[in-house]
Amino acid sequence: MGWSSCSLSSGNADKRWAGRTLQGRRVSHQVVLNILHQLSAMALTLVSILIAVVPVAYCYPTAFQDLEETSKNRTSIKFLAVGDWGGVPYPPYITAVQKATAREMSKIAEQMGADFILALGDNFYYKGVDSVDSPRFKDTFESVYTAKSLRIPWYVIAGNHDHAGNVKAQIDYSHKSDIWKFPSYYYELDFHIPNTGKTLTIIMLDTIILCGNSDDFADEKPRGPLHAVDANRQLTWLQERLALSKADFLLVAGHYPVWSVSEHGPTECLLQRLNPLLIKYKATAYLCGHDHNLQYIEDSGLGYVVSGAGNFLDPDVTHWNSVPKGSVKFFSGQASTLGGFVHAEVTKNQMIVTFYQAKGTSLYRTVLSERNFE
């Protein structure tokens, strides 16, 4: 499949060497020393090799995605982005906001065009799914987004509520669904923008592996990763992918926000670990969910898109003063909007981002430029 992805390793590979002993014959002290010296040299060599190939060991080679041929004259890529869309764990397994948002998504996808959808986490409230055979896949996903215009690839990442269940089951569901694309906890997508010679890269992150689960604390702020090794592995992979990227448009997506004015506010872990990389490597935008509203924040030449209005709505602006002064360009979380999502079009030299309310109209539009490597 055309993506670069990383999976978590149990770290057991080197344990096979533990506990081996020299048996069956008497060996002189000098021979033992010689053997230990050779083993030590071999170990150093092995460590050097492993360090050199870590990205290869955990990531599949990058390949470009195939876009469905809708028109030979097309010169852009279009997609929707929606987060926190995951219904409820009791009948009817959907909310009125999810239903209204799905209906409007189908209309915009049909009218404006959409090649794929970014699903930005919290795919199944409130505790994810327990297995790949969970009825929630049908009740909260397949039976909701039924319109032909939405039967396109859904590129998925996990949110904090998904991590309360079995994320591996969501990854495995990729083999059972024609449209559900979740190859690994984090991965890279690469696209040729048709007939332009330009490229788009989207890096899909697991911010819960990176920062920890916000559900574990009363104030709903992540305190740090459950496994530091896995967090650092993802961060190392991300830094390498960003450093190597020559894409004309470079997007990064995760569940937790970097900046947000709403209930959860900015994510300190991402401000420290992710945001400096986004700025250093000139990312075009960061897309996320987590707060149940629509936001557009602009800072340090980056666009920060919050699209978390797929299932619930929250007008809370508790953290309005926790973001850089003057950076908030747009906010919407009123119940009257019935929900919302983002439509993006990436052309030869710009990315047009439009926020839609489920009630049927666009609320805000902004334009981002292609990356400048000078």
Side-chain angles (χ1 to χ4, degrees), residues 256-262 264-268 270-271 275 278-279 286 288-289 291 295-300 302-306 319 321-325 327-328:
Y256 291 151
V258 172
W259 295 115
S260 170
V261 301
S262 196
H264 296 107
T267 306
E268 191 60 37
L270 295 183
L271 282 172
N275 204 43
L278 298 178
I279 295 168
Y286 177 74
C288 68
D291 273 323
Q295 303 178 45
Y296 184 68
I297 295 170
E298 209 165 63
D299 184 61
S300 302
L302 256 88
Y304 298 88
V305 174
V306 179
H319 291 91
N321 294 319
S322 300
V323 304
K325 191 173 182 180
S327 64
V328 183

Side-chain angles (χ1 to χ4, degrees), residues 134-150:
S134 170
R136 291 296 304 281
F137 286 110
K138 180 178 181 293
D139 296 336
T140 300
F141 176 61
E142 303 282 1
S143 297
V144 180
Y145 305 98
T146 54
K148 184 182 177 183
S149 62
L150 300 182

Side-chain angles (χ1 to χ4, degrees), residues 139-203:
D139 296 336
T140 300
F141 176 61
E142 303 282 1
S143 297
V144 180
Y145 305 98
T146 54
K148 184 182 177 183
S149 62
L150 300 182
R151 303 307 289 177
I152 53 180
W154 284 61
Y155 294 112
V156 184
I157 49 177
N160 48 300
H161 286 279
D162 301 307
H163 272 277
N166 185 347
V167 176
K168 184 65 167 59
Q170 292 195 37
I171 292 172
D172 291 343
Y173 187 69
S174 303
H175 303 297
K176 297 187 69 171
S177 170
D178 293 333
I179 61 172
W180 182 272
K181 312 292 181 185
F182 195 175
S184 191
Y185 289 85
Y186 47 97
Y187 54 99
E188 177 180 311
L189 300 165
D190 296 284
F191 302 91
H192 289 294
I193 304 171
N195 302 306
T196 64
K198 301 293 184 71
T199 57
L200 163 68
T201 288
I202 307 174
I203 295 177

Side-chain angles (χ1 to χ4, degrees), residues 213-259:
N213 201 320
S214 58
D215 289 347
D216 294 341
F217 303 95
D219 62 359
E220 294 189 348
K221 289 190 179 296
R223 292 284 193 278
L226 187 61
H227 301 292
V229 170
D230 293 332
N232 290 333
R233 180 179 294 132
Q234 181 178 191
L235 200 64
T236 300
W237 172 83
L238 170 65
Q239 183 158 8
E240 187 214 35
R241 300 315 305 165
L242 291 174
L244 288 173
S245 176
K246 295 290 185 283
D248 298 284
F249 297 88
L250 175 59
L251 309 180
V252 178
H255 181 65
Y256 291 151
V258 172
W259 295 115

Side-chain angles (χ1 to χ4, degrees), residues 11-81:
N12 289 329
D14 54 356
K15 293 178 184 175
R16 299 184 214 129
W17 301 101
R20 291 192 177 178
T21 57
L22 293 169
Q23 296 177 349
R25 66 178 67 180
R26 291 182 179 178
V27 184
S28 71
H29 180 67
Q30 187 58 46
V31 172
V32 171
L33 286 176
N34 288 341
I35 291 172
L36 289 173
H37 179 75
Q38 290 172 10
L39 285 173
S40 177
M42 287 170 62
L44 282 171
T45 304
L46 183 61
V47 167
S48 300
I49 292 170
L50 284 173
I51 289 171
V53 301
V54 159
V56 178
Y58 295 112
C59 309
Y60 297 111
T62 307
F64 282 87
Q65 303 296 304
D66 295 323
L67 293 170
E68 191 173 319
E69 191 64 57
T70 52
S71 166
K72 289 185 177 180
N73 299 320
R74 61 179 295 190
T75 55
S76 68
I77 291 174
K78 301 173 183 178
F79 64 89
L80 305 179

